[in-house]
Amino acid sequence: MGYYEDNQTKDNKYHFKVINYRKAITAIRALDYEITSEEMARKIPRVGKKIAQKIGECVSLGRIKKLDHLDWDQERLKVETLFRSVYGVGAEKALEWYNKGLRTLDDLRKLPDLTKNQISGLHYYDDLQKRIPRAEVEEIGKVVESAAKKLHPDIQSQVTGSYRRGKPDCGDIDIVVARPDIDTGEELFLIMEHILNELIIQGFLVDHLSLPTWSDDMANAPKHFKYMGICKLPGKGSVHRHIDILVVPWIHLGAALLYFTGNDICNRSMRLLAANRGMRLSDKGLFTGVMRGPKRKRLNEGTWVAGRTEREIFDYLGINYLEPFEREC
DNA sequence: GCGCAGCGTCC
DNA sequence: GGACGC
DNA sequence: GCGC
Ligand SMILES: O=c1ccn([C@H]2C[C@H](O)[C@@H](COP(=O)(O)OP(=O)(O)OP(=O)(O)O)O2)c(=O)[nH]1
Ligand SMILES: [Mg+2]
């Protein structure tokens, strides 16, 4: 029995509801048996009283009462969801525009004060809505890898994100690039620059959503760079795709892979676990000796202890290694 | 009743 | 510093 | 909304 319960997120209250619905859904999806009662549902971790109750309704009535009279403000929900599906449009803009009486994407296209990313998001809207088959993700991964290896043949490039978790299709392409024993911001920025120049000349990168910025302070410190843009394989019928490229210090490669492979819920759970053990986990690594004040606010940086490999981080956290395909929650 | 990840860029 | 994104 |  499949279950889907979708909601709209508007930060600070509904936000965590939606996250918990997602957690419950993936927990249920991981089961290999049918749920036939509310009591049975209640036993599943992350399925609490309220969600179990709804499952109970679904089993006995075939529907969820709450959903019946939900259509009420459905117009607002639908329009907000549509607006938020545009890159660069979040909860705030979507609501603001709805309240101004805007209803369609063509209404948005007429606005004079769109940001650069919103303009791109609207321009490539249809293409960006399309899922990307694994085969095309691989092809795109190779384009980036060859561009990188032109500079130094020992540069490594890996496709991460949902692709690495084994999904049959992906929302975008997430790539992590690193070079053995290269850690400094200066060297890594040059690698990033080279890759981008190369891919722009090729006509592969056609638009930029967010560019890495160079600041010469701490040029010799380990520092990573993130690029976000729009790419397109050569050929007529090819579709524009959203691509994120991360160039990272060799010592942070494991942490970066862990982060960029996700999924987001898995990252947040691991980071929470680290925090509860006096540590901090980020895309740069695992840090110990982290002090936290009231409201769990971090008081110090902590000391970097792991991040070269993913396994190192799992080990240091004292949890079993998870293969990428197992990192769904 | 409380907290819920951590960090970067754009504007 | 908020909005938006990964 | 969930777990502590
Ligand atoms: O709020 C977020 C969003 C993403 N990520 C990490 C995990 C995620 O797997 C990775 C890449 O993000 P993306 O948005 O591309 O997600 P995905 O898991 O690759 O799914 P999709 O197929 O939609 O691209 O970045 C986070 O840590 N927090
Ligand atoms: Mg992705």
Side-chain angles (χ1 to χ4, degrees), chain A residues 96-104 107:
Chain A
E96 179 191 321
W97 287 337
Y98 178 86
N99 286 335
K100 282 188 175 153
L102 305 176
R103 291 295 180 269
T104 68
D107 292 341

Side-chain angles (χ1 to χ4, degrees), chain A residues 43-226:
Chain A
K43 294 203 172 67
I44 303 163
R46 289 173 279 249
V47 175
K49 198 169 166 233
K50 304 288 278 287
I51 291 180
Q53 212 170 307
K54 290 187 175 66
I55 291 173
E57 282 178 32
C58 206
V59 170
S60 56
L61 308 170
R63 63 193 173 88
I64 296 164
K65 283 183 210 152
K66 185 93 173 276
L67 286 179
D68 291 348
H69 51 110
L70 179 123
D71 298 72
W72 207 44
D73 54 335
Q74 208 184 30
E75 142 106 319
R76 185 168 75 95
L77 217 65
K78 264 171 81 171
V79 173
E80 275 187 54
T81 306
L82 174 70
F83 288 176
R84 290 197 27 172
S85 69
V86 177
Y87 191 92
V89 180
E92 295 298 320
K93 268 298 163 205
L95 180 61
E96 179 191 321
W97 287 337
Y98 178 86
N99 286 335
K100 282 188 175 153
L102 305 176
R103 291 295 180 269
T104 68
L105 295 188
D106 280 325
D107 292 341
L108 302 189
R109 292 186 227 263
K110 295 180 193 117
L111 292 171
D113 58 350
L114 295 170
T115 67
K116 184 175 173 295
N117 284 356
Q118 288 162 353
I119 292 168
S120 298
L122 284 167
H123 189 251
Y124 298 107
Y125 183 79
D126 291 333
D127 275 2
L128 295 185
Q129 289 311 105
K130 299 188 171 103
R131 305 288 302 174
I132 314 168
R134 285 183 74 78
E136 186 181 336
V137 175
E138 279 158 31
E139 211 176 326
I140 289 171
K142 279 181 193 149
V143 171
V144 175
E145 181 165 32
S146 343
K149 283 187 186 296
K150 268 187 198 174
L151 182 62
H152 301 294
D154 61 341
I155 292 183
Q156 300 181 9
S157 162
Q158 308 185 52
V159 180
T160 59
S162 49
Y163 174 85
R164 185 159 178 249
R165 298 199 310 275
K167 296 286 148 194
D169 47 60
C170 307
D172 65 1
I173 301 110
D174 306 292
I175 296 181
V176 173
V177 173
R179 184 178 180 205
D181 301 314
I182 299 298
D183 296 320
T184 70
E186 195 166 21
E187 291 169 289
L188 294 166
F189 188 79
L190 280 171
I191 292 176
M192 176 63 98
E193 256 193 334
H194 163 86
I195 294 174
L196 297 184
N197 286 336
E198 182 68 28
L199 295 176
I200 291 167
I201 290 168
Q202 285 180 27
F204 175 76
L205 290 177
V206 298
D207 200 358
H208 312 308
L209 300 168
S210 161
L211 290 160
T213 50
W214 172 250
S215 58
D216 56 9
D217 55 323
M218 298 194 292
N220 292 316
K223 191 176 177 334
H224 70 221
F225 297 95
K226 176 139 84 178

